[in-house]
Amino acid sequence: MSSTTLHRTGQGPMYNETLYDTVLDAVSRLHGVPPTPLHRPVFRGREKQLLAECIDSNFVSSVGAMVSEFEEAVARFVGARFAVATVNGTAALHVALMLAGVQRGDEVLSQALTFIATCNALAYTGAHPVFVDVDKDTLGMSPDALRRFLEANVRVREGVAWNIATGRRISACVPMHTFGFPARIAEISQICADYSIPLVEDAAESLGSWVGERHTGTFGRLATLSFNGNKIITTGGGGMIVTDDEVLARRAKHLTTTAKVPHLYEFVHDEVGYNYRLPNLNAALGCAQMEKLSTMLVVKADIANGYREMLAASGLTVVDGLPGTTPNYWLNAVLFGSLRERDEFLEYSNSKGVMARPVWRLMSRLPMYSGCQNDGLENSKWLEERVVNLPSSVPEARFGGLEA
């Protein structure tokens, strides 16, 4: 690392102010003076116009033209045949897991380095999470770790994968494209096929991320997206199930619409369903947001390039995509040298109005998931102590190019 200036106030922490100020200077040059949010939404297109049209139409709930338009726009963009809009990404993943065949008492392979929604959706099905490690360069599930775990613990009998340590069926694998950086999903997909395990991609953070010319979320039977208020585009709250399977798509729409049998006036429901459909008002936001997604992606790539250039001599590792991939750079991430350095920077930056954040606490360290089987999670633990997300919003100076 380059020259350092250490500063101690009383008995407080010893700050590496030269390094930390270098990072804050990069944030300031990209995003302006503090306060600086981590990621804010941008409403600079037709959002108000389309919301007004919804209100005028009286269709503001889960029935309305905007829902279908939003689904079609997302399906076209990612290259999937079908998309089904839901109230949030967690609901989308819950139903996607059910559609993949996950049942109570099963096991689902996933990663401990993820947002809580991934594990909660698994828990809603009554399944048990099993955590395999991630790669340091993608922050997503490691295919090498996945194969090692399967070779040591799983046997396939009559087309079903069984965990020989627990006696449970493994009914799905859910990798996550962390912060929009594509995991080694093609390798993961092949491994899952080798072991007859359905692949469900948690692509909540990766709308606009590509592996070659193929969008994330199109490698498995199903995938899910999120449009939460902090995502690259937002519907306020919202999610999406995408698939190429028409049968699964129809069933997704049925289950998320309280399993109501279509009828002109009767209310008949043929199974336990969920009130998970996205309201038309939220879909109106989504339609307007999709109109500027391509431009947003260009701006996001520029922000990432700015961080890489300005922090090149800092000694920090700036997380980037794998060769051959195009991340959406939803959240930019850097790796500090140690847990102490990470925490000192977080205290320093937030005290100055810069909203930097650590990566999530590992799922395996949360009380409700602490007893889940895992493979040691060496990389996950290493990353947990070092990853920091830097402000990644579209700067106000770039708003002009986003207006309709």
Side-chain angles (χ1 to χ4, degrees):
M1 194 172 293
S2 59
S3 62
T4 59
T5 300
L6 300 179
H7 175 71
R8 184 187 296 275
T9 304
Q11 297 302 311
M14 183 175 292
Y15 291 131
N16 183 345
E17 285 194 3
T18 298
L19 173 62
Y20 303 163
D21 283 338
T22 296
V23 179
L24 296 190
D25 179 64
V27 173
S28 179
R29 289 166 64 184
L30 289 168
H31 298 282
V33 297
T36 315
L38 184 66
H39 198 282
R40 65 180 172 189
V42 177
F43 301 117
R44 305 290 290 195
R46 296 199 302 146
E47 288 85 359
K48 291 182 180 179
Q49 175 190 334
L50 296 187
L51 284 171
E53 290 179 12
C54 275
I55 293 170
D56 291 342
S57 75
N58 290 319
F59 288 99
V60 297
S61 190
S62 58
V63 176
M66 294 294 179
V67 176
S68 297
E69 288 182 26
F70 184 44
E71 290 172 334
E72 291 166 4
V74 171
R76 271 195 313 273
F77 186 88
V78 304
R81 291 184 63 202
F82 305 100
V84 178
T86 62
V87 291
N88 54 55
T90 311
L93 186 54
H94 176 203
V95 172
L97 289 165
M98 295 177 62
L99 295 172
V102 177
Q103 299 178 12
R104 181 169 298 276
D106 286 349
E107 290 180 346
V108 175
L109 302 170
S110 191
Q111 55 195 71
L113 189 78
T114 186
F115 180 56
I116 187 66
T118 308
C119 268
N120 284 347
L122 302 184
Y124 298 163
T125 68
H128 302 270
V130 175
F131 301 122
V132 298
D133 209 359
V134 298
D135 285 325
K136 289 182 179 179
D137 51 1
T138 69
L139 313 183
M141 182 180 287
S142 166
D144 293 335
L146 176 62
R147 187 172 289 282
R148 283 195 300 270
F149 179 86
L150 292 171
E151 289 175 348
N153 295 278
V154 174
R155 300 293 179 268
V156 179
R157 298 196 300 269
E158 297 180 352
V160 177
W162 296 90
N163 187 332
I164 58 177
T166 63
R168 298 189 183 110
R169 181 177 76 125
I170 297 179
S171 54
C173 177
V174 184
M176 204 263 283
H177 300 288
T178 309
F179 306 143
F181 297 104
R184 289 179 168 85
I185 193 64
E187 296 173 57
I188 293 170
S189 176
Q190 183 58 59
I191 294 168
C192 288
D194 293 343
Y195 280 83
S196 301
I197 298 173
L199 173 61
V200 179
E201 288 178 74
D202 185 346
E205 301 172 356
S206 66
L207 179 64
S209 299
W210 305 81
V211 179
E213 297 183 355
R214 189 170 177 181
H215 199 284
T216 55
T218 62
F219 289 81
R221 291 188 66 192
L222 302 120
T224 58
L225 301 166
S226 171
F227 307 104
N228 189 33
N230 66 350
K231 293 300 190 295
I232 192 163
I233 68 165
T234 183
T235 57
M240 194 81 76
I241 301 168
V242 295
T243 183
D244 285 336
D245 189 314
E246 184 175 3
V247 173
L248 292 179
R250 289 182 181 277
R251 183 148 171 74
K253 186 167 289 191
H254 183 62
L255 284 175
T256 56
T257 316
T258 66
K260 183 182 182 298
V261 178
H263 194 278
L264 183 62
Y265 54 85
E266 289 278 10
F267 288 88
V268 178
H269 307 260
D270 58 4
E271 61 181 310
V272 175
Y274 303 89
N275 192 13
Y276 279 176
R277 286 290 276 162
L278 184 72
N280 206 40
L281 279 172
N282 297 81
L285 284 177
C287 290
Q289 293 267 293
M290 284 297 293
E291 290 175 353
K292 58 178 180 284
L293 176 56
S294 295
T295 304
M296 287 278 287
L297 292 169
V298 172
V299 176
K300 298 286 282 182
D302 288 346
I303 296 168
N305 287 334
Y307 275 129
R308 277 195 299 273
E309 292 172 3
M310 285 183 264
L311 299 179
S314 68
L316 298 176
T317 298
V318 179
V319 179
D320 202 358
L322 294 172
T325 70
T326 306
N328 65 3
Y329 296 108
W330 169 53
L331 287 183
N332 290 280
V334 294
L335 305 181
F336 280 85
S338 66
L339 176 61
R340 187 189 75 171
E341 192 173 65
R342 183 206 75 169
D343 287 347
E344 287 178 357
F345 172 76
L346 290 170
E347 181 178 340
Y348 188 76
S349 63
N350 281 274
S351 72
K352 294 182 177 295
V354 175
M355 188 185 287
R357 289 292 183 264
V359 74
W360 317 280
R361 181 164 295 186
L362 295 184
M363 298 298 101
S364 56
R365 295 211 299 127
L366 300 180
M368 56 283 203
Y369 302 120
S370 60
C372 296
Q373 185 181 9
N374 66 73
D375 64 355
L377 306 173
E378 179 181 354
N379 290 344
S380 302
K381 293 174 181 176
W382 187 90
L383 289 165
E384 183 189 29
E385 295 183 349
R386 292 165 173 81
V387 173
V388 168
N389 288 127
L390 299 178
S392 301
S393 305
V394 171
E396 289 190 20
R398 301 295 296 273
F399 280 1
L402 298 175
E403 295 180 9

